[in-house]
Amino acid sequence: MADPKTDPGLADRSAALDLLFGVTYERRLLSHQSLPEFLLPSEAARANRLALTVLRHLGRLDAVIKPYLTRRPKLAVQNMLRLGASELLIDGSDPHGVVSSIVEIAKRQPRTNKAAGMINAVLRKVIAEGADAFAATPPQALPIWMRKPMHKAYGKDAVAAIEAAHERPAPIDITPKPGITPDEAEPLASGSYRVARGQVTAMPGYDAGDWWVQDAAAAMPVKLLGDITGLRVLDLCAAPGGKTMQLAAAGAQVTALDLSDERMDRVRQNLKRTGLEAELVISDALDYTADAFDVILLDAPCSATGTIRRHPDLPFVKSAGEVEGLTKLQMQMIDHALTLLKSGGRMVFCTCSLLPNEGENQVKAALGRHADLSILPTDPESLGGSADWASAEGGLRLRPDFWAENGGMDGFYMALLQKA
């Protein structure tokens, strides 16, 4: 029998199926799973890519497969069919190699070996008839607990555009130090740069610390602050450090805080590579005390629903109940952060969420709780955006379907607040 450690096409597909099972059955994020140590780096990368592709299109793949099934198969079998259909319809892989490998993997597992013949038959049907059905099926739908508030806030057409944007892998955006023009990169209207996908550490300027990876949307909250030269700035929830580096590069005296020493180690590494400086503090944000700051950046823990195009496993793992706890934490963090802010000081509140309760509604509630707090409306066009980025209360709402012709952006909410 073939050995998945040595046979091409088996090791990476088997690993991809393990990842899919971890997401769809065990409800574990891909980032919380590990791949077999015997995999070559290229095989590990392909296994991860295969799993991501299935998750981006899972609903469409199921729709293609369903007519050829008499009953719903076991999840392990369903994932094999999804993976095979994904390679056939999206990747354009060699049909014979895909079918033979998936069938071989099924044969060697006790829980799937009896389904090997059915898998072979279904995938051959997909080869013959599946392309038109796949093209006619809508993109992967968000779970109802995400869709409902988004429909209310943005409208049905906007949500459909967001779901379509989630099918496209995110490009790589970078933020350069002031005065640096990255090589082989496309300038964006916001001041970020977009590069072709590849090995980040091999790109020109990486070793020199000229830039760091940061989605264009994630780079905008710091830009709301304008000139911060010489100001004392607190970056709450700082890891992995993109905004910390922006603040330091802009000339601020930065204190970067994060709860996790492991996550903060990434900030240390990034600061060392770029030659930028910041004071690093390991602490629970709600327990932290210090002399008042001129500026605070609160990139609060959130559902991360704005990053689904990068992390298509999120809708299968996150739940509405988890978001309720996060919104309460965000409220507490806003209230505590204001005790660390000078009178007249400014605070940016932001989240990489598409849910209004983690953005617009959170800010409106904070303004209602604090009579000394106001919002400073921002002109989105000054950030390279358009008027429809502005939200009613004065913040900015960014969505994955914005800049669709250039590859989109992460979903983000941000608001610039001032303490009287």
Side-chain angles (χ1 to χ4, degrees):
M1 181 175 289
D3 184 351
K5 295 184 181 181
T6 58
D7 280 19
L10 293 185
D12 46 14
R13 289 184 173 105
S14 293
L17 289 166
D18 288 341
L19 292 175
L20 289 172
F21 189 80
V23 172
T24 57
Y25 181 76
E26 299 171 333
R27 297 177 64 85
R28 289 193 295 143
L29 292 168
L30 290 175
S31 60
H32 294 172
Q33 301 183 54
S34 57
L35 290 167
E37 294 183 359
F38 62 76
L39 287 181
L40 298 172
S42 59
E43 292 173 327
R46 185 165 187 271
N48 192 62
R49 183 186 62 77
L50 290 172
L52 288 170
T53 302
V54 170
L55 293 168
R56 282 195 180 95
H57 302 273
L58 189 140
R60 298 179 73 185
L61 295 169
D62 282 355
V64 170
I65 295 164
K66 186 176 180 180
Y68 309 125
L69 301 173
T70 56
R71 62 179 182 275
R72 188 175 182 86
K74 295 178 181 179
L75 181 58
V77 173
Q78 183 80 358
N79 282 337
M80 289 179 178
L81 292 170
R82 289 164 172 167
L83 177 59
S86 172
E87 290 198 73
L88 294 169
L89 300 175
I90 301 170
D91 291 352
S93 300
D94 171 59
H96 175 76
V98 171
V99 175
S100 61
S101 292
I102 298 294
V103 169
E104 178 63 28
I105 292 170
K107 286 180 178 178
R108 67 180 57 198
Q109 296 185 16
R111 61 182 175 180
T112 60
N113 59 8
K114 293 181 180 180
M118 181 270 287
I119 291 172
N120 179 72
V122 170
L123 291 181
R124 293 191 181 282
K125 285 284 190 179
V126 170
I127 293 170
E129 306 170 5
D132 289 343
F134 183 80
T137 305
Q140 169 72 32
L142 291 167
I144 189 63
W145 64 267
M146 293 186 195
R147 287 186 114 222
K148 187 175 180 179
M150 289 167 60
H151 269 160
K152 182 178 180 180
Y154 316 132
K156 182 178 179 180
D157 290 345
V159 173
I162 290 169
E163 290 172 338
H166 287 163
E167 288 198 327
R168 299 186 290 270
I172 297 175
D173 294 342
I174 61 176
T175 298
K177 290 180 180 177
I180 297 290
T181 300
D183 295 333
E184 303 174 14
E186 173 193 355
L188 299 174
S190 64
S192 294
Y193 286 78
R194 186 154 287 179
V195 299
R197 295 191 67 83
Q199 186 177 353
V200 171
T201 55
M203 294 179 184
Y206 178 84
D207 289 335
D210 291 343
W211 49 263
W212 51 93
V213 174
Q214 186 178 33
D215 187 79
M220 291 184 192
V222 170
K223 296 175 183 179
L224 298 184
L225 293 166
D227 185 8
I228 53 174
T229 305
L231 298 183
R232 291 184 64 245
V233 180
L234 173 63
D235 183 5
L236 284 171
C237 309
K243 296 176 182 65
T244 297
M245 289 182 284
Q246 277 185 281
L247 295 165
Q253 301 175 38
V254 186
T255 297
L257 180 146
D258 203 272
L259 178 63
S260 167
D261 188 37
E262 181 179 356
R263 283 170 50 83
M264 190 63 91
D265 193 51
R266 292 185 63 189
V267 183
R268 293 188 189 96
Q269 294 172 14
N270 282 325
L271 289 171
K272 182 178 180 181
R273 181 177 62 82
T274 57
L276 297 170
E277 295 183 358
E279 177 190 7
L280 305 186
V281 177
I282 310 298
S283 174
D284 187 321
L286 297 178
D287 296 332
Y288 179 67
T289 59
D291 293 338
F293 290 86
D294 301 305
V295 172
I296 294 177
L297 176 66
L298 172 54
D299 186 358
C302 71
S303 63
T305 46
T307 68
I308 289 173
R309 65 193 190 129
R310 298 181 187 278
H311 306 290
D313 49 331
L314 286 174
F316 302 97
V317 176
K318 299 283 185 177
S319 67
E322 185 176 349
V323 175
E324 291 175 7
L326 287 167
T327 54
K328 181 179 180 180
L329 175 61
Q330 292 157 14
M331 178 187 72
Q332 294 171 331
M333 294 184 80
I334 289 172
D335 292 348
H336 183 65
L338 290 173
T339 69
L340 300 169
L341 186 63
K342 288 182 178 179
S343 295
R346 294 168 296 153
M347 180 172 77
V348 172
F349 170 78
C350 60
T351 59
C352 55
S353 172
L354 290 170
L355 303 178
N357 280 353
E358 296 186 292
E360 296 89 336
N361 295 344
Q362 190 68 264
V363 164
K364 287 188 283 188
L367 294 171
R369 292 195 306 274
H370 299 277
D372 60 345
L373 189 64
S374 61
I375 191 166
L376 300 175
T378 301
D379 174 17
E381 294 182 4
S382 68
L383 297 174
S386 58
D388 60 351
W389 291 12
S391 54
E393 78 295 335
L396 294 183
R397 164 55 65 190
L398 309 183
R399 304 195 320 240
D401 57 312
F402 291 169
W403 284 354
E405 68 282 1
N406 294 327
M409 63 172 68
D410 282 354
F412 240 93
Y413 174 83
M414 61 198 75
L416 179 61
L417 306 169
Q418 186 167 43
K419 181 179 178 180

